[in-house]
Amino acid sequence: MSRIAYVNGRYVRHSEAAVSIDDRAFLFADGIYEVIEIFGGKLIDEAGHLERLNRSARELLLKLPVGERVLKLILRELVARNGVAYGHVYLQVTRGAARRDHFFPKAGTPTTLVAFAHRSDRAAAEAKAQAGIKVISVPDIRWKRPDIKSTSLLPNVLAKQQAKDFGAYEAWLVDEEGFVTEGSSSNAWIVDADGALVTHPADSGILRGITRARLFEIAAAHQIRIVERRFTVVEAKAAREAFITGATTLVMPVVAIDGEKIGGGAPGPVALGLRAAFHGFAPASE
């Protein structure tokens, strides 16, 4: 079955999906996006993702082309047309196509909305979680508003590639004071000596992960304390456990940082327990 994408009001073959070369996302990375997990054919934490999409749009003075009800219909149609039981849906909104100019396009220029769905390998993801992943630490060179989920991801791409070249899966970004902010495509966590979960405060220095937010509910139900504070790479290397969270990884144990083993070099019970509990708490679309 051919993959189907959505482009500005039309469902088209993925291979034929296209937007103008004048689109602002292509010229200026002037756009926002979201990635939502599909689990059992349902969208996971959809409300949180769409709320964040709206926040990102407000922060960038970008008008969404359709309302939430229509957007939900589009996403469900994509899941159905592509027959995706387990995977992810990606949606992107840009300021539209216009003559290349740093100023915003003239009033009335249509914004661009594209979306597509794809399958993921559940068995491979679970195998990765059981083995754990490696991360490296790199300087955080992003702009000062990573709390906006914009398509301006070049520093993240460079960090991710650096991790791959090192034989790792993820890069943890470190600010000028030596504190870990987050991963290149995930939020960063450690389990301290007291068994508390530690993660960077949800301020303008990180993206407010939807999976990250769901973990607060799961941790409370399991009587696990969460502390929102900054931590260093040195502290992370001495932690009982470490892990990352995100819509594409859920809760993924970290077993090494910069080549140094964490918690004996094997996934810890806290991270694996949180991962196992996740879909029992994260709401699925109807």
Side-chain angles (χ1 to χ4, degrees), residues 7-201:
V7 181
N8 292 331
R10 299 175 58 234
Y11 295 95
V12 298
R13 291 177 182 269
H14 193 279
S15 60
E16 298 172 359
V19 296
S20 169
I21 62 170
D22 290 324
D23 193 272
R24 298 275 297 190
F26 178 67
L27 298 174
F28 296 108
D30 189 1
I32 56 177
Y33 74 103
E34 282 291 335
V35 180
I36 307 175
E37 183 194 10
I38 304 167
F39 186 82
K42 305 294 184 180
L43 296 165
I44 302 301
D45 268 325
E46 179 186 35
H49 284 284
L50 296 186
E51 180 181 345
R52 187 172 62 181
L53 181 75
N54 276 281
R55 178 185 181 275
S56 295
R58 290 193 302 270
E59 293 295 317
L60 295 185
L61 306 178
L62 197 162
K63 182 177 175 58
L64 299 182
V66 297
E68 184 172 297
R69 184 184 66 82
V70 173
L71 186 54
K72 286 182 176 181
L73 291 174
I74 292 169
L75 298 182
R76 283 155 179 72
E77 186 68 16
L78 279 174
V79 173
R81 289 195 182 209
N82 288 281
V84 179
Y86 298 95
H88 298 87
V89 64
Y90 176 94
L91 62 147
Q92 178 174 300
V93 181
T94 85
R95 211 176 299 276
R99 178 179 179 274
R100 189 184 187 282
D101 195 323
H102 283 69
F103 295 115
F104 286 0
K106 65 181 181 180
T109 299
T111 50
T112 297
L113 170 61
V114 299
F116 56 84
H118 61 83
R119 298 181 179 91
S120 63
D121 188 334
R122 287 185 67 203
E126 288 307 316
K128 180 178 291 185
Q130 294 302 316
I133 62 168
K134 300 175 182 178
V135 305
I136 63 170
S137 59
V138 301
D140 191 344
I141 60 172
R142 300 172 300 168
W143 74 317
K144 295 182 180 181
R145 293 301 308 276
D147 58 303
I148 301 172
K149 198 168 179 68
S150 78
T151 57
S152 304
L153 295 173
L154 184 56
N156 306 64
V157 168
L158 293 173
K160 196 80 166 185
Q161 183 61 42
Q162 190 174 343
K164 182 179 180 180
D165 292 343
F166 189 80
Y169 176 79
E170 177 62 299
W172 277 5
L173 310 177
V174 182
D175 66 20
E176 294 178 349
E177 298 179 79
F179 292 102
V180 175
T181 51
E182 58 185 336
S184 67
S185 60
S186 62
N187 289 123
W189 301 72
I190 61 172
V191 180
D192 70 13
D194 297 323
L197 307 183
V198 182
T199 190
H200 195 286

Side-chain angles (χ1 to χ4, degrees), residues 207-221:
L207 181 69
R208 302 176 184 182
I210 306 304
T211 305
R212 174 190 183 279
R214 187 60 56 194
L215 228 61
F216 280 74
E217 179 185 351
I218 301 172

Side-chain angles (χ1 to χ4, degrees), residues 124-135 167-170 242-244 251-257 262 265-268 271-272 275:
E126 288 307 316
K128 180 178 291 185
Q130 294 302 316
I133 62 168
K134 300 175 182 178
V135 305
Y169 176 79
E170 177 62 299
F243 59 91
I244 63 172
V251 181
M252 184 64 65
V254 171
V255 297
I257 302 174
I262 307 300
L272 289 176
R275 180 181 178 86

